[in-house]
Amino acid sequence: MVEAENLESCGEVVEEDEQKRGGSCNFFCTPIYWFKMLGNETHWSFVFGVLAVYGISQGLGGAFNRVATEYYMKDVQKVQPSESQIYQGIISIPWLVKPLWGLLTDVLPVSGYRRRPYFILAGLLGVISMLLVSLHGKLHLVFALLALTTGSCGVAIADVTIDACVAQNSNTHPLLAPDMQSLCALSSSIGALVGFSISGIFVHLIGPKGIFGLLTIPAGLVFCVGIVLNEPLMPHFNYRQVNQKFAGAGKAMWTTLKSPDVWRPCLYMYLSFALSVNIDEGLFYWYTDSKEGPSFSQETIGFIFSVASAGSLLGAILYQNILKDHPFRDLLFWSQLLFGLSGMLDLVMVLRLNLKLHIPDYVFIVIDESVSRMIGNLKWMPLLVLSSKLCPPGIEGTFFALLMSIDNAGLLSSSWGGGLLLHLLDVTRTKFDNLWLAIIIRSILRVSPLCLIFMIPKGDPNASLLPSEILGREDEERTETTENENIELVSLISSVDGK
């Protein structure tokens, strides 16, 4: 009741202020009052944490990191595209163990705090690793990979920790839960769009190593979140309960995974990602090649990635407003089919058919990226919702993180499979004769998961998918724990790269 009254009073203040100002002023002032309302109801440090982690670290920093890593592997380390594809998968490994980070932040406080130490750790990992890559004159490839993977680990830990903070505030302020999810989504999307739009310019001006130096700023902000976050102290925590909680969560997850209603969709999700082999590194090397390819500049590459982010955002909007009530099986069938067909747009460009149609490379790549990313997100969004439906009560957050790890394992398999395919077809830094064949094989593999579509539930997407015996057993177990001891929900918002 108190929360409802506070929200109502905040709404009245906003309405009164809006009436006093013109329409153009409202456009700028309304977001300010919205931020102020969220800060008053939760705490300003929480809002700062969401903006720092989602907007700056993952959105803006993630965009800079992706473009810088592409050019760092190509121009500094001078590796082959097949090798770069493998290395990109290695860098993403910390995202495979998201359930571990989630469990640690939930059940293992440090110095009496559950969240603050993990933000500080994440910030330190990011600052140290980015400084190492940036300042070292000629870092060996092994140490460069280790540093980039460490930086990725810092981002993953910060992601899971802020997810837990969002879930905790959603429990204590249920009326503000949609606003908090909107804050997360908008911060990430806007940060990515801005980051990709200007990343190419910065790579051109200061090079990829200079970009890694700039990435110490987002990591430093994450460190600051750990310093200022408003969190109660737990001075007398019973650490003997940690092993018990780990064992209980593991047992519940294993019991749920054994159900055919759960493991079959999980297997489909893994295979749908793993079979869609990723050959983006081969295409990137071709895009920037001055002889065989269109020789796109760094600024153009950054703009292409920003268009891809806009396409992903459009896909999310289409799903939310038009497709969210369609059955999972039907929606995933058509999205997977279109996903495979959209890959043939790359074939048109690699064979230079777009020039025969009098379509410039720059225009065609914008169409290609926006369509491909939009369809990719139309496939990703129902899988996210399906994953949330498979989470049993009481361990929703940890189990959802487990499902996201399965998806990330599929993406890792896709990246390594694409690297192997490029190697077998002898696609190198200067040879692209068989790149067209790699695109055809990739498109065929993208369609192959349709043979397993029967593993996806066919019924109403708004209905419960878990069997009654799992729901009943978990409800009984959940009554034995307090609300604050539940494993936190993991946010449904994902990065532009599906991490």
Side-chain angles (χ1 to χ4, degrees):
M1 292 298 293
V2 174
E3 179 186 359
E5 292 175 359
N6 290 337
L7 291 177
E8 184 178 355
S9 62
C10 290
E12 291 175 355
V13 171
V14 172
E15 291 178 359
E16 291 176 0
D17 289 328
E18 288 178 347
Q19 292 174 359
K20 294 178 182 178
R21 295 168 172 81
S24 60
C25 184
N26 289 339
F27 179 79
F28 294 101
C29 293
T30 300
I32 296 176
Y33 288 111
W34 183 58
F35 279 112
K36 184 178 179 181
M37 181 270 292
L38 286 175
N40 290 335
E41 292 299 319
T42 56
H43 192 267
W44 68 266
S45 62
F46 167 74
V47 178
F48 170 67
V50 171
L51 294 177
V53 175
Y54 277 116
I56 306 300
S57 179
Q58 291 190 41
L60 187 69
F64 272 69
N65 187 283
R66 179 179 176 184
V67 178
T69 303
E70 298 273 12
Y71 280 100
Y72 181 76
M73 291 296 175
K74 177 178 180 290
D75 297 334
V76 179
Q77 294 293 343
K78 299 186 182 303
V79 300
Q80 299 295 343
S82 58
E83 296 172 333
S84 179
Q85 194 77 60
I86 299 296
Y87 300 149
Q88 295 282 3
I90 294 175
I91 294 171
S92 68
I93 285 179
W95 293 83
L96 298 181
V97 291
K98 284 184 68 174
L100 175 60
W101 313 134
L103 278 173
L104 287 175
T105 61
D106 284 331
V107 306
L108 187 60
V110 178
S111 299
Y113 292 102
R114 300 173 65 192
R115 317 297 183 198
R116 296 176 65 177
Y118 293 97
F119 281 124
I120 293 174
L121 173 63
L124 287 175
L125 290 176
V127 170
I128 295 172
S129 60
M130 292 300 101
L131 281 178
L132 178 62
V133 180
S134 177
L135 298 179
H136 197 282
K138 191 174 181 181
L139 192 62
H140 190 276
L141 178 60
V142 174
F143 294 107
L145 277 177
L146 181 60
L148 292 174
T149 304
T150 302
S152 176
C153 181
V155 177
I157 292 174
D159 172 77
V160 172
T161 309
I162 197 63
D163 285 342
C165 294
V166 172
Q168 187 173 353
N169 278 287
S170 297
N171 288 334
T172 56
H173 302 83
L175 296 178
L176 289 178
D179 294 271
M180 285 184 269
Q181 292 293 347
S182 298
L183 178 64
C184 297
L186 289 172
S187 301
S188 179
S189 299
I190 295 174
L193 284 173
V194 174
F196 281 125
S197 299
I198 63 177
S199 58
I201 299 174
F202 276 85
V203 171
H204 177 74
L205 293 176
I206 61 178
K209 294 176 66 176
I211 294 295
F212 289 130
L214 288 180
L215 288 177
T216 58
I217 298 176
L221 288 176
V222 172
F223 180 87
C224 292
V225 172
I227 299 297
V228 303
L229 184 68
N230 182 42
E231 183 182 15
L233 178 66
M234 302 166 50
H236 304 295
F237 180 78
N238 186 4
Y239 284 92
R240 288 178 296 180
Q241 296 179 352
V242 172
N243 292 336
Q244 196 174 23
K245 290 184 178 182
F246 268 107
K251 180 180 178 182
M253 286 191 292
W254 173 246
T255 302
T256 304
L257 279 174
K258 289 192 299 184
S259 172
D261 294 324
V262 177
W263 69 258
R264 290 173 61 174
C266 291
L267 179 60
Y268 175 84
M269 287 188 284
Y270 169 78
L271 292 175
S272 69
F273 286 110
L275 292 175
S276 302
V277 293
N278 185 346
I279 58 170
D280 286 349
E281 294 304 307
L283 290 171
F284 170 75
Y285 278 57
W286 182 79
Y287 288 156
T288 56
D289 188 76
S290 58
K291 296 181 180 179
E292 300 288 337
S295 187
F296 287 142
S297 65
Q298 291 98 330
E299 295 88 344
T300 303
I301 292 294
F303 179 75
I304 290 171
F305 286 147
S306 69
V307 170
S309 298
S312 297
L313 186 59
L314 178 59
I317 294 173
L318 288 175
Y319 176 79
Q320 175 65 26
N321 292 281
I322 300 175
L323 302 173
K324 66 179 181 179
D325 293 325
H326 285 68
F328 287 120
R329 186 181 296 183
D330 296 343
L331 186 55
L332 288 173
F333 175 85
W334 290 108
S335 62
Q336 190 73 42
L337 178 61
L338 292 174
F339 188 55
L341 296 177
S342 66
M344 299 303 290
L345 292 174
D346 292 325
L347 182 65
V348 173
M349 190 165 181
V350 168
L351 294 179
R352 316 306 281 149
L353 298 179
N354 61 297
L355 297 180
K356 295 181 180 179
L357 297 173
H358 304 290
I359 302 176
D361 290 329
Y362 184 81
V363 175
F364 192 84
I365 191 62
V366 167
I367 298 173
D368 182 2
E369 285 295 317
S370 57
V371 171
S372 298
R373 299 300 178 177
M374 181 187 69
I375 295 174
N377 217 25
L378 287 177
K379 168 193 170 184
W380 173 246
M381 292 296 292
L383 289 178
L384 282 175
V385 178
L386 175 61
S387 298
S388 67
K389 293 283 185 179
L390 296 176
C391 297
I395 56 168
E396 298 96 339
T398 302
F399 199 82
F400 188 85
L402 175 65
L403 296 180
M404 292 301 98
S405 295
I406 292 174
D407 292 345
N408 286 325
L411 292 173
L412 177 63
S413 301
S414 169
S415 183
W416 287 354
L420 178 62
L421 178 63
L422 292 174
H423 176 73
L424 293 176
L425 295 179
D426 196 29
V427 177
T428 67
R429 295 171 54 86
T430 56
K431 291 176 59 179
F432 304 97
D433 296 338
N434 292 327
L435 184 57
W436 66 273
L437 182 57
I439 294 173
I440 292 178
I441 294 175
R442 180 197 64 179
S443 298
I444 294 174
L445 290 175
R446 280 183 174 183
V447 179
S448 60
L450 294 178
C451 299
L452 305 172
I453 197 68
F454 65 90
M455 293 183 172
I456 298 297
K458 191 177 181 180
D460 183 3
N462 297 314
S464 176
L465 301 179
L466 290 175
S468 57
E469 58 269 18
I470 292 181
L471 290 173
R473 180 175 59 253
E474 296 297 337
D475 283 340
E476 292 177 1
E477 293 177 357
R478 184 167 55 169
T479 59
E480 299 176 1
T481 61
T482 63
E483 185 181 25
N484 289 334
E485 291 175 339
N486 285 337
I487 304 300
E488 309 290 0
L489 289 171
V490 176
S491 172
L492 297 183
I493 303 303
S494 202
S495 68
V496 175
D497 304 318
K499 293 178 183 176

